Each structure stands twice: as C-alpha cells, then as structure tokens.
Amino acid sequence: MRKPLIVGNWKMNKTSSEARVFLREFAQSHNGSSQAEVVIAPPFTALESVRTALGSSSWIALGAQDLHWEKQGAFTGEISGPMLRDLGCSYVIIGHSERRTLFGERDADVQKKVRAALACGLFPILCVGESLTEREAGQTEVVITNQLSAALDRLTDNDLGTVTIAYEPVWAIGTGRAATTDQAVEVHHSIRTFLSKGWNTGAASAMRVLYGGSVSPQNAALLLNASGIDGALVGGACLNPDSFATIISAAKPKSVH
Ligand code: 13P
C-alpha cells in the first residue's frame, strides 16, 4: 500500500493573513482525519503563518514551492533548504513547469535542487511533464524520461525512495482540461517502468507518483482511483477550502501492483 499524497500548491496566491483565513475555513470544511497524507505549499511569505496556524502536531505537512541549491551565500532573492527546514517545511516542489518555462530553469538546475533538498532532509516533489506540441509530436515518453534521468541522475536507492514524482502535463495546468485517466495512467506506467529499471525495486515501488493539472472536486475521484496514480498536485482548486477538502476526501489507499 502506498498512502496517497495530496499536495496543494498555492503558487503566488494568498498573503499571510489570507492564509490564516483559509486555514480557519478549511478546518470547518474538513473533519481533520484523512486516508491521505496532505501537504500545503504556500508562498515563502506565508510559510510561517501557515505553520503557526496548523500547530506543531498537525496532520497537514508544510511544503515550499522551490529552493536554491546552495545552503547560503550571495544569491539575492533566493531561499535555501536549511531556511525552509527551519520554518518547518518537510516537502519542496522542484522543477515545476512554471519554473521551467517562465524562469528558465533547466534540467541541470533541477538536478542540483533535488540533491540540495535531499542533503538537508527535505522530501522533493519532482515535477515532470510534456507540452502540447511535444505530446502531439508523440514525444511524451521521451521528454519525461529525459527530465527524470537528468533530475534523478546517480541517486542512491535510499535517496530515491524519499522522492515523489508529479506528472503534470503542461497543457493541463490551469486550463480546466485535465488529462483523461487513460492518458495519465499511460504516463504513470512509463514513469514506474523507468524507475524500476534504474533502481532497486523496493525503493522504486515505495515512491509515489502524483498527477497534476486541472484536478478539481469533480474529477478527483476518477483520477485518484486510477491505477498507479498515488495522489494529486493541485493548483487552482486548492485555493478554496471546500474544494481542497473534497479532493482530499476522494483519496483512498490502493494496493500496489
Ligand atoms: P492547476 O490545478 O491549477 O491546473 O495547477 C496544477 C499545478 O500546476 C500544480 O502544481
């Protein structure tokens, strides 16, 4: 059994006071027990207020949306892994397509960030996904395999076991056009094949592979029940407490094949 993981990526939304309001409302929308592990990834500026509002024994873990690969130094505007750990983060999203396409992040940067996260005890959530042009050109598998090989290059089995992969087709992000379960299952299957070829079966099969891209309260149950989908990385729909609570409730443990 892999426990499902639901991650809410707030992107550049919510001030710290809006974050407190969200959590108050969320506590009313959700009964506080879940069959899924849940992570909230607010902007850096709201990490502290989310952590305080959740309390130290919360069932919800804290995540960041990015990190720099160095621990400290002259990198104006950047945030390091130890800084995130100090604020109570246990997860960090790495290589999101918005970082790749809008901010020029390359596979080599993503690789350094994965290593930096592991070195300071953060669990990386590594995002991979193809653009519409790449899908239409029949390159989905190649693109994803290349992104995975670069980011996970030479990781040990132990390190690999702590990484979560998020398959986020770029064309599905923020478009209201989620992948069909068949499309998602096919890519999840090829991700699992890639992992089990390169690493020890135990480590590879312990890893969770999430789906992200227009996950909503309407389509969550279908996607989350599909074979090989171990959870969701949610953008727009996680900003609303009721929608996020509904998505979390749709996640149930499944046996591993
Ligand atoms: P949407 O759920 O808004 O499509 O965003 C997905 C995403 O990019 C999560 O990281």
Side-chain angles (χ1 to χ4, degrees):
M1 285 288 191
R2 287 188 290 260
K3 191 171 188 184
L5 176 63
I6 305 292
V7 184
N9 175 8
W10 286 7
K11 307 191 179 183
M12 196 174 72
N13 292 290
K14 298 194 194 293
T15 61
S16 48
S17 30
E18 287 165 348
R20 281 190 286 275
V21 173
F22 172 91
L23 289 167
R24 259 202 311 277
E25 291 177 2
F26 179 76
Q28 282 156 12
S29 307
H30 199 274
N31 64 11
S33 79
S34 166
Q35 294 185 282
E37 199 178 331
V38 175
V39 176
I40 291 182
F44 294 130
T45 47
L47 283 169
E48 178 89 63
S49 71
V50 170
R51 181 180 70 160
T52 308
L54 288 174
S56 54
S57 59
S58 176
W59 60 284
I60 299 179
L62 196 59
Q65 299 174 17
D66 188 22
L67 86 171
H68 191 267
W69 54 81
E70 293 291 344
K71 290 195 178 76
Q72 60 186 45
F75 301 99
T76 302
E78 293 294 328
I79 307 280
S80 74
M83 292 171 180
L84 298 174
R85 289 284 287 163
D86 185 56
L87 279 174
C89 288
S90 39
Y91 286 86
V92 60
I93 298 169
I94 298 177
H96 192 281
S97 73
E98 286 149 17
R99 303 275 347 144
R100 294 178 191 256
T101 57
L102 302 174
F103 303 104
E105 212 163 279
R106 301 153 308 159
D107 281 334
D109 304 322
V110 174
Q111 181 190 93
K112 285 192 274 190
K113 290 182 176 195
V114 169
R115 286 167 184 256
L118 293 169
C120 71
L122 286 164
F123 300 131
I125 300 170
L126 169 67
C127 301
V128 295
E130 82 289 3
S131 67
L132 189 57
T133 321
E134 289 161 343
R135 172 164 282 268
E136 286 173 351
Q139 292 172 340
T140 301
E141 190 170 347
V142 173
V143 168
I144 282 160
T145 304
N146 287 344
Q147 290 173 343
L148 289 171
S149 328
L152 304 175
D153 183 42
R154 285 173 286 133
L155 289 194
T156 63
D157 290 325
N158 276 351
D159 278 345
L160 184 88
T162 67
V163 177
T164 297
I165 308 292
Y167 168 53
E168 294 210 310
V170 179
W171 46 270
I173 296 178
T175 58
R177 186 186 155 203
T180 63
T181 48
D182 284 353
Q183 287 170 323
V185 166
E186 187 184 7
V187 177
H188 278 237
H189 182 74
S190 70
I191 292 173
R192 286 243 160 253
T193 307
F194 171 85
L195 296 171
S196 58
K197 277 190 192 149
W199 286 269
N200 169 296
T201 329
S205 70
M207 291 175 69
R208 288 177 291 204
V209 184
L210 315 182
Y211 168 78
S214 296
V215 173
S216 68
Q218 291 72 34
N219 64 20
L222 198 63
L223 285 160
L224 291 168
N225 283 332
S227 154
I229 299 186
D230 304 312
L233 179 52
V234 188
C238 80
L239 297 173
N240 175 290
D242 287 339
S243 305
F244 193 44
T246 306
I247 293 170
I248 293 167
S249 307
K252 312 266 185 279
K254 293 192 295 265
S255 16
V256 176
H257 304 291

